[in-house]
Amino acid sequence: MENTFSVGFADIIITPDEPMPLGGYGASSWRKHEKVLEDIHAIGTAMTDETGKTVVFMTLDTTRAYFEVVPEARKMVSQATGLPVESVMITCTHTHSGPDMTNTEEEAIQRYIPKVQAWLVECAQAALEDRKPATVSVGDIEATGLNFVKHYYNVENGEKKFFGDNFGRHVMDETTRHTTEADPTLHLVRFAREGGKDVVLANWRAHPQLTGGSKIKNLSADFPAPFREILGAQMDCHVHFLQGAAGNINPKSRIPGEQYSLDHRVFGARLAYFAVKCLEEHMKTVPAGLIRTRHVDFAGKVNHSMDHKRQEAAMVWRHFATTGDREGTAALCKEHGFASVYHAGSVSAKAASPETISLDLNAIAVGDHLAFVTAPNELFDTNSVYTEEHSPFDMTFTCGYANGHWFYIPSQYGYDYSCYESHVSRFAPGTGEEISEQFLKMLAELKGQ
């Protein structure tokens, strides 16, 4: 595949054949699926430049994929294809109705992991075999009214003051003058291929959690599945959905009086509507150019500010884990100053953590116009927007949930105004901003290469 830019696509069904613990909504071992709402998939896109340099992006319809899964899978793909490990990216759609690949103590997950790893090898090989000459176009559109900032609170005189969410508008906290607004930008890349269907990559920010919440026990890819299906049918193309920095972004508002709920297929169809409009009206062709990569083992600082409460935290978590007593646990949390049992569990875990945790950050450039950055975390869209706005490339995809998972990294305002994500994050305030700056440094190096 030399002397031309080429792109290949693969789609592998990864639906488990036994009840599987579903991810999302805190501890999930008890929530095993009872019904397959739709098949879940591994999607792969391979890109090769005129020199033969190749990268492969693959996405699993799972909540996340933990370190017991991803490093070995990347090595397996590398061995099977001859690609360097750093040229293999594995991300997740972060569906809250997919297998919880972090729940490695569950026997069902233990049996599922080697199957997923084998499927990823198959997916990469199929995408590489499918490569065809392609041209590149990029475009974006505001998909309004579909993603919302989660609720946040500013604590004043011991009282929590609600000021979160937006419903297609800014929301201002008049005390702090801080604005919250979800970025509605849907990024699209279209690879027009000779002798094969076009391949469309989409980058969007919103938690896939529309299928009824923690009480529903359906296996589902949630809105990414109908989005891929509907967009693919309408535009006669293959579709690869890459989840963005959705750590603080939900698919519906939580402001009283503005709440509404959408069936996940309706949500996927609405997002596909914007994608079709973008593909028809807002795309511009750019030179493919050469593929370049950067990899950094970033030292994320662990937040040890509550280590002095480790014993109390461990006691609260142990009480909940052994009794399931929610009311009693809530009383213990209030007594010892924890926002929730998950806050207590995080404090206990962080106290036993090292000073830093190595985070696998990657940047990939395709020519001088298109770039991707990946992190193994639920980043806040505040930091991804900053990265994208200051990137030297025309379009930059920010992809969370990639190559492992270290849960939330809030932006600074998440710490300043107190939220669930900042309570349970292992990382110190400012880490999200440091990651954005590291991304920009890597992108600047790629732009100048």
Side-chain angles (χ1 to χ4, degrees):
M1 285 294 171
E2 296 185 4
N3 302 320
T4 184
F5 186 84
S6 60
V7 175
F9 181 84
D11 185 341
I12 307 293
I13 293 176
I14 62 169
T15 304
D17 57 6
E18 64 177 311
M20 196 67 55
L22 302 179
Y25 310 108
S28 60
S29 297
W30 57 272
R31 194 170 68 100
K32 292 181 173 66
H33 82 267
E34 298 173 350
K35 176 183 177 182
V36 176
L37 199 61
E38 62 223 342
D39 282 323
I40 59 174
H41 296 251
I43 307 291
T45 299
M47 293 174 276
T48 300
D49 68 16
E50 63 184 25
T51 71
K53 174 81 172 183
T54 300
V55 293
V56 176
F57 276 90
M58 289 181 287
T59 299
L60 297 169
D61 284 334
T62 61
T63 312
R64 45 195 172 243
Y66 215 33
F67 299 102
E68 287 86 347
V69 182
V70 172
E72 183 61 27
R74 294 175 81 193
K75 290 177 184 176
M76 292 168 64
V77 171
S78 175
Q79 292 168 357
T81 63
L83 294 175
V85 170
E86 58 268 22
S87 294
V88 179
M89 299 293 120
I90 300 174
T91 70
C92 300
T93 56
H94 198 55
T95 172
H96 282 41
S97 299
D100 185 358
M101 302 289 283
T102 68
N103 202 343
T104 54
E105 294 183 1
E106 283 282 340
E107 292 184 0
I109 293 293
Q110 292 172 8
R111 289 188 290 269
Y112 188 57
I113 285 174
K115 295 179 182 179
V116 171
Q117 291 169 332
W119 281 323
L120 286 167
V121 173
E122 180 184 353
C123 186
Q125 290 174 323
L128 290 168
E129 291 173 3
D130 183 60
R131 285 173 293 176
K132 296 174 177 61
T135 57
V136 185
S137 58
V138 298
D140 54 46
I141 189 170
E142 289 194 357
T144 54
L146 287 176
N147 61 349
F148 303 89
V149 177
K150 290 182 183 179
H151 54 181
Y152 291 97
Y153 300 89
N154 182 28
V155 179
E156 296 179 356
N157 301 319
E159 181 181 353
K160 282 186 175 181
K161 178 182 177 183
F162 177 87
F163 79 99
D165 267 16
N166 68 295
F167 195 84
R169 58 177 172 78
H170 292 282
V171 170
M172 176 70 76
D173 173 55
E174 296 299 335
T175 303
T176 63
R177 306 301 298 172
H178 182 82
T179 300
T180 64
E181 183 181 31
D183 179 72
T185 306
L186 172 64
H187 295 306
L188 295 175
V189 175
R190 184 171 195 161
F191 298 112
R193 301 195 303 163
E194 297 178 14
K197 281 188 177 184
D198 292 355
V199 176
V200 173
L201 271 60
N203 190 213
W204 169 252
R205 308 171 174 93
H207 270 76
Q209 55 180 35
L210 297 183
T211 53
S214 61
K215 295 180 181 180
I216 303 299
K217 299 179 182 179
N218 294 331
L219 183 79
S220 168
D222 216 290
F223 73 79
F227 171 77
R228 295 185 307 232
E229 175 189 333
I230 294 167
L231 178 59
Q234 291 195 21
M235 301 302 292
D236 191 26
C237 64
H238 298 301
V239 180
H240 190 162
F241 178 89
L242 291 166
Q243 184 62 267
N248 63 326
I249 303 297
N250 271 354
K252 63 180 180 180
S253 174
R254 292 182 177 180
I255 293 179
E258 293 185 339
Q259 295 180 2
Y260 75 101
S261 180
L262 286 179
D263 173 84
H264 75 290
R265 297 197 64 83
V266 175
F267 188 99
R270 289 185 63 181
L271 189 60
Y273 161 81
F274 286 107
V276 169
K277 187 176 180 64
C278 183
L279 290 170
E280 292 180 339
E281 301 177 9
H282 299 293
M283 305 300 286
K284 70 172 183 177
T285 301
V286 298
L290 301 180
I291 294 172
R292 292 95 69 202
T293 61
R294 282 286 186 277
H295 164 78
V296 170
D297 288 319
F298 177 82
K301 298 183 183 67
V302 175
N303 186 355
H304 285 287
S305 63
M306 293 191 70
D307 281 7
H308 61 287
K309 289 210 168 189
R310 179 183 183 183
Q311 290 185 340
E312 294 96 324
M315 178 271 295
V316 170
W317 182 260
R318 187 165 52 251
H319 175 82
F320 178 69
T322 56
T323 69
D325 175 14
R326 293 183 177 274
E327 290 187 5
T329 302
L332 287 172
C333 286
K334 185 174 182 180
E335 177 184 350
H336 295 287
F338 301 115
S340 69
V341 63
Y342 300 115
H343 182 199
S346 176
V347 169
S348 179
K350 283 184 284 193
S353 297
E355 291 301 311
T356 63
I357 293 174
S358 179
L359 302 177
D360 185 340
L361 305 185
N362 292 274
I364 301 97
V366 178
D368 291 327
H369 298 274
L370 173 63
F372 304 81
V373 291
T374 73
N377 305 90
E378 287 194 54
L379 298 171
F380 275 23
D381 80 326
T382 314
N383 295 122
S384 64
V385 169
Y386 177 87
T387 300
E388 293 164 16
E389 287 180 344
H390 292 82
S391 171
F393 293 85
D394 292 347
M395 179 171 290
T396 301
F397 279 35
T398 306
C399 304
Y401 318 96
N403 300 329
H405 193 67
W406 275 109
F407 304 96
Y408 296 107
I409 294 187
S411 53
Q412 185 61 49
Y413 82 82
Y415 291 96
D416 291 344
Y417 302 114
S418 183
C419 60
Y420 166 78
E421 295 83 2
S422 62
H423 291 152
V424 302
S425 173
R426 293 200 179 194
F427 297 94
T431 303
E433 286 70 25
E434 291 177 2
I435 288 175
S436 292
E437 294 300 336
Q438 181 63 64
F439 279 156
L440 292 175
K441 180 180 178 181
M442 297 162 76
L443 291 169
E445 292 172 353
L446 292 176
K447 185 71 172 182
Q449 185 175 338

